[in-house]
Amino acid sequence: MLRVRSALCHSWRGFRTFPCAAVEVKNEPILGFNEGSPERAELQKALDDLKGKTEEIPCVVGDEHVWTKDIRYQLSPFNHSHKLAKFCYADKDLLNKAILASVAARREWDLKPIQDRAQVLFKAADIISGPKRAEILAKTMIGQGKTVVQAEIDAAAELIDFFRFNAKHAVELESQQPLDSDGSTNTMLYRGLEGFVAAVAPFNFTAIGGNLAGTPALMGNVVLWKPSDTAMSASYAVYNVLRESGLPPNIIQFVPADGPVFGDTITSSEHLAGINFTGSVPTFKRLWKQVAQNLDIYKNFPRVGGGGLEQHRHTLAVQPVHRQALCAALWDSRSWSFVTQTRIEHQAVVTPQHCDAVP
C-alpha cells in the first residue's frame, strides 16, 4: 500500500502551494518468474486455466451488459484455432446511448475530490500488483503473443506505474495554486472536460489501453473506451479491476466497435471533448480531419492527442544483419510498436534455427 507523509509544498515558478500530503510511490518491481518461484506457479496456473476456453465479453454501458448481433472473436496470434474471447461490436445507437449516459454522470464524478478519484487507481494498481497479476499477464501472453518478460514489463509493471504515478501527480497538482495579491485571494480549480473523452487503444500494449481510459477518468472526465480487437481479453480484465476498485458506472464505458463506426459516431457527437489515441497514423489523421470538419457542432473545442505507428516496406536479401532483424521480429511476434513488413528475395527462409544468436 502507499504511504502518505506530511510535507510542506514550496512555491515554484509563481505558484502558491499549501501544506499538503506527499504521496510516496515506487516503481513496481519486475518479477523474475524463476523456476520454483510463487509467481511462476501462479502464472502457469492462469495459462492452464485459459487453454481451450473462450471468454464472453459484452459491451458494458453503465451496469448493463449488452450483446449486439455483430459477433467477433479474439484469436491467439500463435494458435488461430484458439478463440480466446467472444465479443461484439457496439453499433451507432449503442455508442450514442453510452455517450449520453456518460455525459449525464460527468458532473457528479467531476465534483468528487481528487483524492477519492485517485484512490480508485491506487487500489486498481494494488489489485494488479497482487491477486490479478497472473490473470492479466496470461491474457496478454496468449492474446497478444508476448513472452513472460514482455507481458510482465507491459501488463504489470508499466500499467501499475501508470496508475500509481498518475494518481500521485493528480493529488499533488491540486496543491499548486496561483499567488495571492494585496486585497485578493486567487484560486485555481482543476476541472474535467465538459463532454466525453474517447479512448482508442492499440493492439499491442495492455498498459497503454488501461492508461488511455483510466487517466482521463482520474482527472474528472467520462470516457468511451474502444479496446483493440486483438487485446480484448486483457483490456476487459483491466476494466473489471477498475470497477472492482470503486469506479462508478458510466464513468468508463467499455465499447468494442468497428473502427470507422466508432470514429464516425464520436466525431459527430456535440459532446465530444477529447480523443486519447494510440494507433496507426492513417487512423489518427482521419479522426483529426473529422474533428476539424465538424468543429462547428461541438459544445467545446475537442482536444485530440496521441501517437501513431507508421509502417515501412522494404525489399531485402537475407544477409546476416537482415537475418537478425527477422529473427528479432520472429521473437517479438506482434508485441511491439513498429511493424516491419518484409518480402524476402531468392526464396530465402528464416527459421528459429537461424536465430541462435537471438536471446
Side-chain angles (χ1 to χ4, degrees):
M1 295 296 291
L2 297 166
R3 292 180 298 162
V4 180
R5 61 179 173 81
S6 179
L8 182 66
C9 299
H10 301 286
S11 296
W12 179 78
R13 292 189 182 178
F15 280 91
R16 173 176 53 83
T17 57
F18 303 107
C20 66
V23 182
E24 292 186 349
V25 299
K26 295 181 179 179
N27 290 110
E28 177 70 9
I30 296 175
L31 303 183
F33 296 91
N34 297 318
E35 196 74 41
S37 65
E39 67 266 19
R40 187 184 182 103
E42 292 173 8
L43 178 58
Q44 187 61 61
K45 182 181 183 302
L47 290 167
D48 291 340
D49 289 343
L50 293 176
K51 284 183 179 178
K53 295 181 181 177
T54 301
E55 180 182 16
E56 295 197 349
I57 300 176
C59 300
V60 185
V61 176
D63 282 326
E64 184 180 2
H65 289 196
V66 182
W67 283 94
T68 68
K69 295 180 180 179
D70 195 350
I71 301 297
R72 305 284 168 143
Y73 292 91
Q74 179 188 3
L75 306 181
S76 174
F78 55 85
N79 179 10
H80 290 183
S81 66
H82 183 192
K83 296 178 178 178
L84 180 61
K86 173 185 176 182
F87 62 97
C88 65
Y89 276 168
D91 55 26
K92 182 177 179 180
D93 289 341
L94 184 58
L95 290 170
N96 280 321
K97 177 181 177 180
I99 289 170
L100 294 179
S102 290
V103 171
R106 185 199 66 80
R107 187 172 184 275
E108 182 179 354
W109 176 246
D110 190 25
L111 289 175
K112 280 187 177 295
I114 184 60
Q115 291 81 2
D116 292 353
R117 287 186 257 124
Q119 281 304 316
V120 174
L121 263 64
F122 285 140
K123 183 175 181 180
D126 288 343
I127 291 173
I128 297 169
S129 177
K132 293 294 185 179
R133 192 187 202 108
E135 176 190 342
I136 293 175
L137 290 183
K139 290 179 175 180
T140 299
M141 292 171 68
I142 294 179
Q144 289 140 265
K146 295 200 173 189
T147 67
V148 61
V149 174
Q150 294 164 349
E152 170 70 4
I153 292 170
D154 164 28
E158 185 175 358
L159 180 56
I160 292 164
D161 285 353
F162 272 143
F163 283 176
R164 285 180 176 158
F165 279 90
N166 287 346
K168 164 190 167 67
H169 294 320
V171 170
E172 294 175 353
L173 177 65
E174 193 173 63
S175 67
Q176 295 185 7
Q177 295 291 324
L179 297 173
D180 291 339
S181 58
D182 292 340
S184 68
T185 300
N186 299 316
T187 302
M188 179 181 293
L189 299 177
Y190 293 90
R191 304 172 57 236
L193 303 176
E194 294 187 357
F196 72 94
V197 173
V200 183
F203 73 92
N204 51 348
F205 281 104
T206 301
I208 293 178
N211 185 50
L212 289 175
T215 299
L218 164 70
M219 301 308 295
N221 297 289
V222 291
V223 182
L224 262 66
W225 181 3
K226 179 197 172 300
S228 170
D229 292 4
T230 52
M232 192 62 60
S233 183
S235 298
Y236 190 56
V238 173
Y239 169 78
N240 283 327
V241 167
L242 288 168
R243 292 299 307 274
E244 181 183 340
S245 301
L247 185 76
N250 291 312
I251 304 307
I252 296 179
Q253 313 282 32
F254 190 84
V255 282
D258 174 69
V261 171
F262 185 84
D264 292 348
T265 305
I266 62 166
T267 56
S268 62
S269 170
E270 65 178 355
H271 300 292
L272 180 65
I275 299 176
N276 218 12
F277 176 90
T278 298
S280 71
V281 169
T283 300
F284 194 43
K285 288 181 177 179
R286 184 177 189 271
L287 290 170
W288 208 321
K289 288 177 182 177
Q290 287 178 299
V291 169
Q293 291 167 355
N294 293 333
L295 202 56
D296 290 339
I297 73 170
Y298 301 130
K299 293 187 174 182
N300 292 285
F301 290 95
R303 281 73 164 173
V304 182
L309 315 179
E310 190 63 271
Q311 294 185 343
H312 301 277
R313 294 173 174 83
H314 301 282
T315 300
L316 52 88
V318 183
Q319 302 301 325
V321 65
H322 299 142
R323 181 178 292 115
Q324 295 309 307
L326 292 171
C327 289
L330 177 66
W331 183 69
D332 284 338
S333 184
R334 57 185 298 145
S335 302
W336 303 108
S337 297
F338 300 99
V339 180
T340 302
Q341 296 185 348
T342 308
R343 185 177 71 216
I344 305 172
E345 291 182 343
H346 309 304
Q347 298 182 344
V349 177
V350 176
T351 68
Q353 286 72 31
H354 291 105
C355 298
D356 293 340
V358 179

